[in-house]
Amino acid sequence: MAASEENSALFPIFILTIMAIPLVPYTMVKLSRAVSKKQRSIHCQCLECDRSGKYKRSLFKKISNFSTWSNLTLVLLWVVMIFLIYYTKNMSRELLTHFLLCAYVDLVYLYAAEANKYFVESISKAYQALTDPVSRENFEKYGHPDGRQGFQMGIALPQFLLDIDGASGGILLLWIVGVCILLPLVIAVIYLSRSSKYTGNYVMHQTLSAYYYLMKPSLAPSKVMEVFTKAAEYMEIPVRRTDDEPLQKLFMSVRSELNLDIKNMKQEQAKFWKQHPAIVKTELLIQAQLTRESAALSPALQGDFRRVLELAPRLLEELLKMAVLPRTAQGHGWLRPAVGVVELSQCIVQAVPLSARKSSGVSSEGISPFLQLPHFSDAVVKKIARKKVKSFQELQEMSLEGRSELLSQVAGLSATDVEDIEKVLEMMPSLTVDITCETEGEEGIQEGDIVTLQAWVTLKRPNGLIGALPHAPYFPFHKEENYWVLLADSVSNNVWFSQKVSFMDEGGAITAASKTISETMEGSGAGVRETNEAVREAVEKVKGGSRLVMGKLQAPSEGTYNLTCFCLCDSWIGCDKKTSLKVKVLKRTRAGTRGLVSDEGAIAEEGMEEEDEIEEEEYDDYESEYSEDEDDKKDMDEKRGSKKANGTVKKQESSSEESGSEEE
């Protein structure tokens, strides 16, 4: 009886132990992530970002941010653990006295009637242990004259679960089947049914399929919106009858941004409303963000509006991946739709209309970079343009005093407004790219070589920060800056290489750069000292605001290729950078084979030159293409015909060596 009561008393301790094993480390990980996230949240300090309430830590917002299912479950489990600790602590004192009393009573009943026999047998065993050598040896080895004895083991379960008679047996069976079999099975079925619809980036497989088939190489930036809104996640947003009137009003407000043909406006409107209701609703809500008309939405549409913007960053990332996905026989993606996706992402984050990217009389790059600044409007841009400040770069390059005078006296902004603008300009990143392409262990690049691309992307800000959150007062969620490095041929519209870069995680960048540089140096046969020195330099570069981008690509056929390395930001407008790279690929001459090209041809020399970064005046070929959808194909065909005329290959022949090799 005492043993069963002891087993029942140990059940809370057993449950406490099982809960503590996963709960304690999970809580530590959760707290460490919260602390690191708090340290990394370096955001804009302007008044517009402050008024957005996105970064305010009010009591209500703290409670709402904390009140997630995972956090509430964690707190509930800790409450149960604390209760079990308190219960176990108090129970141990009471049970100690109870167990002693029960043991005493059991011993009295057990040995009162057989006291004489007990003492005789005990004394007899003791006598055997003293006199008999075998019994003595058993006693020394096993603690008993008769040798090894059995032991009793308890189970930390309540007594009613151990009583298999009657109804308790059925309860035990149901408990085992339910907890050990049915519950894991139900959880597994629910998890698999949900996860089977999504990829690792929490995007539905149906969305990726739609993006893949709708993506076209000639997809203009103005047409990217039509593909973007076809996501399956947006199809699941409910369409209510009560939304008809608010959506009609919203349509009238954003009609000029929908790329409708003015000459056939009635037919265009009818065609627009014939689309799937979810697609119509999604596009209108995105246009409400671009035109900053979200405040006029009804309360029901406000929830849908937030849902659309919450999904937008990861859907746009997957859409960009579909654009640069290898499609051609050479394994190249498409540049034009990739640039359009990034431009759409920039406009959504900064709440700037797509029409603002069109070339205008104010600036060849449009007025979109100006509109992301606080307190700027079309009127302010026109005012400062009268003072010959027509490009965003000109505004950035002005002195602090000159810019303050321009904004206050010419644009008519207050001192507080000017201070806000300066805070945002100090947050804006400036990028430089140092890129090289080479064949490891060889002096030149030949057809079919596996070429190693290495690029250092360096970010600088006037305020000295490296990783920071962008100025985005109209985007209701936290959005980290992401950068995309694309090595592309603008003439052929081919993307040779692409990689995403982030400046938020310095520790991860140091680890990745150290590992990559170490493997590269060891592969080239460098010594330990040289490898350590190269790793140390790479770590210093990362700490100084640089990120390493490395990749492999196969050299194409013989020719000279004028490539461009694009570094595109998905959050800021006007911060993208282009670097020109000329690569000469020669005929295959080296012994053996590399890639898929055979060993044929004469000995040739190869050269690879990196040109200086393109000046902002020469940036016109990358300006937004919203007004040039049809003419670009003709220009592309004309340029493609003259590409190989730029290639130069120097051939050297050695007849004596050739004849000698033939004789051998």
Side-chain angles (χ1 to χ4, degrees), residues 190-255:
I190 295 175
Y191 173 77
L192 292 175
S193 63
R194 292 183 178 180
S195 61
S196 62
K197 299 180 181 179
Y198 294 89
T199 64
N201 198 24
Y202 300 103
V203 175
M204 298 179 69
H205 291 288
Q206 188 177 351
T207 298
L208 298 185
S209 178
Y211 284 172
Y212 180 84
Y213 288 107
L214 293 173
M215 184 63 62
K216 304 297 178 183
S218 60
L219 188 67
S222 59
K223 304 296 182 181
V224 172
M225 176 76 77
E226 298 178 5
V227 179
F228 171 61
T229 55
K230 300 298 191 301
E233 286 84 350
Y234 290 151
M235 294 292 187
E236 294 181 349
I237 295 179
V239 179
R240 298 171 289 268
R241 292 186 178 181
T242 55
D243 296 337
D244 291 344
E245 184 178 350
L247 289 177
Q248 287 284 353
K249 293 181 180 179
L250 180 59
F251 173 80
M252 299 304 297
S253 301
V254 303
R255 183 172 55 179

Side-chain angles (χ1 to χ4, degrees), residues 340-391:
V341 173
V342 174
E343 289 183 350
L344 178 59
S345 175
Q346 294 171 353
C347 289
I348 289 177
V349 173
Q350 296 296 337
V352 173
L354 292 172
S355 60
R357 305 194 76 107
K358 293 181 180 179
S359 177
S360 63
V362 177
S363 172
S364 59
E365 61 186 6
I367 64 173
S368 56
F370 293 98
L371 297 182
Q372 68 186 338
L373 298 177
H375 316 297
F376 258 76
S377 62
D378 294 353
V380 173
V381 175
K382 292 179 181 179
K383 289 179 181 179
I384 64 174
R386 297 169 187 166
K387 294 297 181 179
K388 297 183 179 180
V389 180
K390 297 184 179 181
S391 69

Side-chain angles (χ1 to χ4, degrees), residues 14-44:
F14 171 75
I15 295 297
L16 179 63
T17 305
I18 295 299
M19 290 180 59
I21 290 174
L23 188 59
V24 172
Y26 177 76
T27 304
M28 295 177 64
V29 171
K30 195 89 171 175
L31 292 175
S32 63
R33 288 180 180 176
V35 172
S36 62
K37 185 177 180 181
K38 184 177 181 180
Q39 292 175 349
R40 292 188 304 166
S41 296
I42 304 172
H43 56 82
C44 180

Side-chain angles (χ1 to χ4, degrees), residues 251-313:
F251 173 80
M252 299 304 297
S253 301
V254 303
R255 183 172 55 179
S256 60
E257 297 291 331
L258 295 176
N259 292 322
L260 302 179
D261 187 3
I262 301 178
K263 298 179 181 179
N264 302 314
M265 183 58 68
K266 290 185 178 180
Q267 292 84 348
E268 290 289 316
Q269 289 186 15
K271 182 180 178 181
F272 177 81
W273 288 103
K274 284 182 180 179
Q275 298 180 99
H276 192 283
I279 296 177
V280 172
K281 184 176 185 178
T282 300
E283 184 167 356
L284 290 177
L285 292 178
I286 293 175
Q287 292 294 346
Q289 166 70 5
L290 298 178
T291 57
R292 303 180 183 180
E293 296 285 345
S294 59
L297 297 177
S298 63
L301 287 179
Q302 284 288 349
D304 299 334
F305 172 75
R306 290 181 60 87
R307 179 60 178 166
V308 168
L309 294 186
E310 184 181 13
L311 294 171

Side-chain angles (χ1 to χ4, degrees), residues 73-89:
T73 304
L74 189 65
V75 171
L76 179 61
L77 290 175
W78 272 108
V79 170
V80 174
M81 274 195 63
I82 293 173
F83 171 76
L84 289 175
I85 293 173
Y86 176 79
Y87 176 76
T88 303
K89 182 179 179 181

